[in-house]
């Protein structure tokens, strides 16, 4: 039976993923009394348990077990031992996941956040019912509510997910054996990341994508380079196609594509986007109508249509990154409690894609600049011509910088190669500081480092900028460069 006098809190947070944890800690740091409700037995949400941390750890394990990074060094050849067991593949992932859960627990305890384990639902706009498994309901009252329930993989009806050989991006971490072959459905970020991870383990991977290219948000040149790298890993890429039917078989699954082609595979991984985790929340009781796929609409302060109810993270939709989810939750709490130290979401956000090799970007793409008719110049620097690139054995990666052709202010940064998701932050900082070519020319980077790519990409851009002037002479009009760097 529910308590007649619910415990009162300044803030109730629903969900313990990146947005929930950091939003709770933010408010508690400023002296607010905070409760957090988590329905799963472990803290961390999808980011720790089935998504960001788990998938990236799995990638590193695959790279280590396969000796992938050593293959080009000193002419040595490494190969995966014949029999790889799931326990070996997932051992590191489970250890890192457990450590992250402990760190989240310590953070919440340090900030004196009260954690309730159970399913949360709205009784009214200030009252949350918490239902622990097989236990009576209890109720808590909050002046402010933050919904940070995250998301779950969308499951198209064409796929028989009741078959243990058909996975989504959450359930794939519960592999019971290593399949000899895998069909990945979807060429977005998650699909490409898992396709690369399984390919380096020696699994025969086929990826089918309904569009004509990989990862639509990527710069086209980076996307094309990624395609070539994935094919070098042995991944078969099928574009402009999709799955029409999946037929059961004793040993393998038969997949019929819309094009009429038929594939045989031992397992399928479906990556078809995600849905906001709102089931059971009772949003209808407080008048919050979700959008398609369960996304909760919010304003610039992350308020829902009920002013004291906020939402942040994957449950509100794109960009649905752990980094942006954290910032959204902090901004929501700053607004909710008038904390007056953050005022807006950063306008420039980096994107990191943990394929093999990594891809990362920040700022404008060439396609966007052409569409906006912004005169620009592109400069590139190759890992293969960089001493550190030679040392680490990455000869194919590159950095591309996009500058305004007039004042050489930086407009965009695009990378593919080792540590791209780390190195992108140099460009991010330059963009935030409204800097350009002069910054990179006057910066002395350690030698040998991949960071030095920024200087040489800048030199290349300046050279590209000067080419039309030399070719046409000083008296002729300079042609605006709007094509890819040679």
């Amino acid at each position: 039976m529910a308590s007649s006098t619910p415990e009162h809190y300044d803030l109730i947070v629903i969900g313990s993923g990146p947005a929930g944890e950091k939003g709770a800690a933010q408010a508690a740091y400023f002296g607010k009394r905070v409760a957090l409700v988590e329905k799963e037995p472990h803290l961390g949400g999808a980011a720790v348990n089935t998504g960001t941390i788990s998938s990236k750890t799995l990638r590193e394990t695959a790279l280590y077990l396969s000796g992938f990074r050593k293959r080009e060094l000193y002419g040595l050849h490494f190969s995966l031992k014949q029999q790889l067991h799931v326990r070996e593949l997932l051992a590191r992932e489970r250890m890192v996941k457990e450590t992250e859960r402990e760190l989240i627990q310590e953070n919440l305890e340090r900030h004196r956040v009260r954690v309730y384990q159970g399913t949360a639902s709205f009784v009214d706009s200030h009252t949350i019912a918490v239902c622990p498994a097989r236990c009576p309901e209890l109720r808590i009252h909050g002046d402010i509510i933050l919904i940070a329930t995250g998301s779950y993989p969308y499951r198209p009806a064409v796929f028989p997910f009741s078959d243990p050989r058909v996975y989504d991006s959450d359930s794939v971490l519960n592999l019971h054996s290593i399949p000899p072959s895998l069909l990945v459905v979807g060429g977005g970020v998650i699909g490409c990341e898992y396709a690369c991870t399984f390919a380096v383990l020696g699994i025969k991977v086929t990826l089918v994508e309904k569009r004509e290219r990989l990862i639509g948000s990527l710069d086209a040149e980076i996307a094309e380079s990624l395609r070539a790298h994935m094919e070098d890993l042995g991944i078969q890429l099928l574009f402009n196609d999709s799955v029409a039917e999946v037929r059961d078989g004793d040993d393998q699954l038969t997949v019929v594509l819309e094009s009429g082609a038929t594939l045989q595979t031992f397992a399928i991984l479906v990556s078809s986007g995600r849905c906001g985790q709102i089931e059971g929340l009772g949003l209808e009781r407080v008048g919050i109508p979700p959008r398609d796929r369960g996304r909760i609409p919010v304003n610039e302060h992350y308020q829902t249509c009920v002013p004291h109810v906020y939402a942040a993270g994957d449950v509100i939709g794109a960009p649905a990154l752990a980094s942006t989810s954290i910032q959204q939750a902090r901004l929501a709490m700053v607004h909710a409690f008038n904390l007056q130290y953050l005022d807006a979401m950063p306008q420039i956000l980096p994107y990191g894609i943990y394929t093999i090799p990594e891809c990362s970007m920040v700022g404008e793409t060439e396609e966007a600049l052409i569409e906006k008719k912004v005169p620009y110049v592109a400069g590139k620097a190759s890992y293969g011509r960089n001493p550190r690139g030679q040392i680490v054995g990455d000869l194919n990666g590159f950095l591309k910088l996009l500058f305004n052709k007039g004042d050489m202010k930086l407009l965009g940064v695009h990378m593919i190669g080792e540590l791209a998701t780390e190195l992108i932050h140099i460009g991010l900082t330059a963009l935030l500081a409204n800097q350009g070519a002069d910054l990179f020319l006057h910066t002395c980077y350690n030698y040998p480092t991949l960071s030095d790519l920024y200087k040489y990409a800048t030199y290349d851009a300046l050279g590209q900028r000067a080419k039309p002037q030399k070719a046409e002479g000083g008296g002729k009009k300079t042609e605006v460069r709007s094509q890819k760097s040679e």
Side-chain angles (χ1 to χ4, degrees), residues 5-233:
T5 55
E7 191 80 12
H8 177 267
Y9 294 93
D10 299 310
L11 169 68
I12 297 173
V13 178
I14 306 174
S16 67
E21 178 206 353
K22 302 305 183 183
Q26 177 82 106
Y29 179 83
F30 285 93
K32 306 304 177 183
R33 191 163 189 256
V34 180
L36 183 147
V37 185
E38 173 54 59
K39 71 173 184 176
E40 300 295 339
H42 301 293
L43 297 172
V48 170
N49 297 293
T50 59
T52 306
I53 299 300
S54 294
S55 62
K56 279 52 174 180
T57 306
L58 186 65
R59 173 186 184 272
E60 288 300 312
T61 303
L63 288 170
Y64 173 77
L65 291 174
S66 66
F68 181 83
R69 288 193 175 104
K70 301 176 184 177
R71 289 177 180 176
E72 301 299 327
L73 298 178
Y74 315 114
L76 298 177
H77 297 280
F78 289 77
S79 61
L80 194 66
K81 60 186 181 181
Q82 286 296 106
Q83 294 295 325
L84 174 66
H85 296 287
V86 168
R87 63 176 178 274
E88 296 172 295
L89 179 62
L90 296 180
R92 177 73 179 167
E93 180 265 342
R94 286 165 182 165
M95 184 175 72
V96 172
K97 187 160 60 179
E98 185 58 38
T99 300
E100 285 298 308
R101 291 167 178 167
E102 291 172 0
L103 290 172
I104 294 169
Q105 181 70 47
E106 290 173 8
N107 188 38
L108 295 175
E109 289 177 354
R110 185 169 63 253
H111 287 89
R112 298 182 180 179
V113 174
R114 170 71 186 275
V115 176
Y116 291 86
Q117 205 277 310
T119 301
S121 62
F122 282 93
V123 176
D124 57 47
S125 67
H126 285 282
T127 307
I128 300 297
V130 181
C131 297
R134 299 181 300 278
C135 292
E137 170 192 297
L138 63 91
R139 294 184 178 184
I140 53 179
H141 182 278
D143 295 335
I144 303 292
I145 311 292
L146 172 63
I147 302 170
T149 47
S151 62
Y152 63 91
Y154 175 65
R155 290 186 162 190
V158 69
F159 298 100
F161 285 97
S162 58
D163 191 309
R165 296 167 293 181
V166 180
Y167 301 93
D168 61 29
S169 57
D170 283 358
S171 62
V172 73
L173 293 169
N174 297 318
L175 276 170
H176 52 82
S177 62
I178 305 296
S181 62
L182 175 70
L183 173 65
V184 177
V185 181
V189 172
I190 295 173
C192 287
E193 287 181 349
Y194 272 119
C196 291
T197 294
F198 285 111
V200 299
L201 292 171
I203 296 170
K204 181 183 176 182
V205 177
T206 301
L207 185 148
V208 61
E209 165 55 46
K210 63 183 178 181
R211 297 168 298 183
E212 60 184 5
R213 54 166 282 186
L214 300 171
I215 311 178
S217 60
L218 274 180
D219 174 89
E221 190 175 7
I222 299 291
E224 176 59 22
S225 180
L226 176 62
R227 179 201 61 76
H229 280 287
M230 290 176 68
E231 289 182 337
D232 286 344
L233 289 175

Side-chain angles (χ1 to χ4, degrees), residues 269-307:
L269 170 59
V270 182
S271 177
S272 297
R274 298 181 71 87
C275 303
Q277 187 74 262
I278 61 169
E279 185 179 355
L281 271 178
L283 294 178
E284 67 282 356
R285 297 190 195 108
V286 290
I288 300 176
R291 292 176 178 155
D292 63 306
R293 289 204 182 185
R295 298 178 179 97
I296 297 177
V298 294
N299 64 14
E300 70 275 18
H301 304 299
Y302 303 98
Q303 287 173 295
T304 68
C305 58
V306 179

Side-chain angles (χ1 to χ4, degrees), residues 346-351 361-363 401 410 412-413 422-435 439-440 454:
Q347 294 304 300
I348 304 173
L349 299 171
Y351 292 83
M361 64 170 285
V362 64
L401 301 180
L410 187 65
V413 185
E422 296 284 350
L423 292 165
I424 201 71
H425 296 129
I426 296 173
L428 169 63
T429 303
L431 283 168
L432 290 171
N434 196 30
Q435 294 294 308
L439 173 67
F440 301 126
Y454 278 91

